[in-house]
């Protein structure tokens, strides 16, 4: 089965790694057809194992190899397609749209945090198909009070986010 592993916290805040090295770790852990998409930690691969089993295997392999506490979220091709198909916002060149990959139920936690946060211009959030989407003006991602919430240590093992254009690139690689 085709999967994508979305890694949390890769190539930010001192956790730097080359995607070629990450792909090698995945291959050594028994994954096939391994490839990366961008430098933000999107690893496409094939395996006969279940996603729940893969999460533990790959987090341990990554943690052991890179000496950090790895968090990753495994989605099948069908699940990854939903991130692209369920986008609730109109695409606009002045806005970023992010989708959040995470544990079951994290979309409700994120919506609760978003509702508490002060909003910047054109900032919106919506849950579509159990996926949390966030729209923010380009350049305001880190200025937004919700953007700051995303770095909370208490949430670090719950989710990761990607710009929707990343999902398009991931799907292209998964379908090739």
């Amino acid at each position: 089965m085709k999967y994508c592993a979305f890694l949390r916290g890769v190539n930010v805040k001192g956790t730097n790694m080359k995607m070629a090295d990450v792909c090698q770790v995945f291959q050594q852990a028994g994954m096939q057809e391994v490839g990366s998409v961008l430098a933000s930690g999107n690893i496409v691969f094939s395996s006969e194992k279940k996603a729940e089993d893969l999460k533990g295997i790959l987090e341990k392999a990554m943690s052991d190899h890179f000496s950090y506490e790895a968090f990753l979220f495994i989605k099948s091709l069908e699940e990854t397609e939903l991130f692209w198909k369920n986008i609730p916002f109109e695409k606009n060149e002045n806005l970023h749209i992010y989708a959040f990959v995470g544990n079951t139920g994290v979309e409700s936690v994120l919506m609760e945090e978003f509702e508490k946060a002060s909003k910047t211009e054109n900032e919106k959030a919506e849950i579509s198909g159990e996926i949390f989407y966030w729209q923010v003006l380009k350049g305001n991602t880190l200025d937004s009070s919700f953007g700051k919430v995303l770095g909370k240590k208490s949430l670090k093992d719950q989710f990761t986010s990607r710009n929707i254009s990343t999902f398009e690139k991931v799907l292209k690689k998964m379908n090739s």
Side-chain angles (χ1 to χ4, degrees):
M1 179 176 284
K2 286 252 186 173
Y3 290 103
C4 184
F6 297 93
L7 284 68
R8 164 109 183 176
V10 170
N11 293 334
V12 293
K13 296 184 181 173
T15 305
N16 297 315
M17 53 190 73
K18 290 180 172 54
M19 290 303 106
D21 294 341
V22 174
C23 288
Q24 190 173 14
V25 170
F26 272 60
Q27 288 167 337
Q28 289 169 347
M31 305 309 118
Q32 295 89 41
E33 301 176 88
V34 179
S36 65
V37 179
L38 304 172
S40 54
N42 311 291
I43 308 298
V44 173
F45 64 96
S46 294
S47 176
E48 294 306 312
K49 292 182 168 53
K50 292 182 179 157
E52 310 83 71
D53 299 332
L54 291 168
K55 180 175 173 59
I57 291 165
L58 293 170
E59 282 180 343
K60 181 175 181 352
M62 290 290 295
S63 294
D64 290 350
H65 184 85
F66 291 104
S67 301
Y68 86 115
E69 189 176 11
F71 298 105
L72 54 83
F73 303 92
I74 310 279
K75 296 295 176 186
S76 68
L77 172 60
E78 294 76 21
E79 290 170 318
T80 305
E81 285 173 339
L82 294 176
F83 286 90
W84 181 250
K85 290 178 180 173
N86 287 332
I87 301 165
F89 305 119
E90 290 284 322
K91 292 182 189 107
N92 177 322
E93 65 184 36
N94 299 315
L95 302 169
H96 281 303
I97 301 172
Y98 294 93
F100 290 71
V101 184
N103 297 337
T104 304
V106 76
E107 68 279 1
S108 300
V109 172
L110 290 166
M111 185 57 83
E112 193 176 301
E113 293 287 352
F114 180 79
E115 288 170 353
K116 290 190 277 186
S118 58
K119 315 297 183 280
T120 61
E121 183 185 352
N122 292 318
E123 188 173 4
K124 297 180 194 171
E126 196 170 311
I127 296 172
S128 177
E130 297 181 10
I131 299 167
F132 182 85
Y133 292 88
W134 176 44
Q135 173 184 281
V136 64
L137 202 58
K138 285 184 179 175
N140 281 6
T141 305
L142 299 175
D143 297 334
S144 154
S145 68
F146 179 69
K148 289 177 176 67
V149 164
L150 301 179
K152 281 172 82 170
K153 287 196 187 317
S154 63
L155 296 175
K156 72 179 180 182
D157 62 345
Q158 299 294 305
F159 68 88
T160 189
S161 64
R162 297 294 187 271
N163 190 304
I164 57 151
S165 63
T166 300
F167 286 99
E168 184 177 27
K169 291 175 177 111
V170 165
L171 286 168
K172 194 176 280 187
K173 181 108 177 175
M174 290 178 92
N175 285 310
S176 64

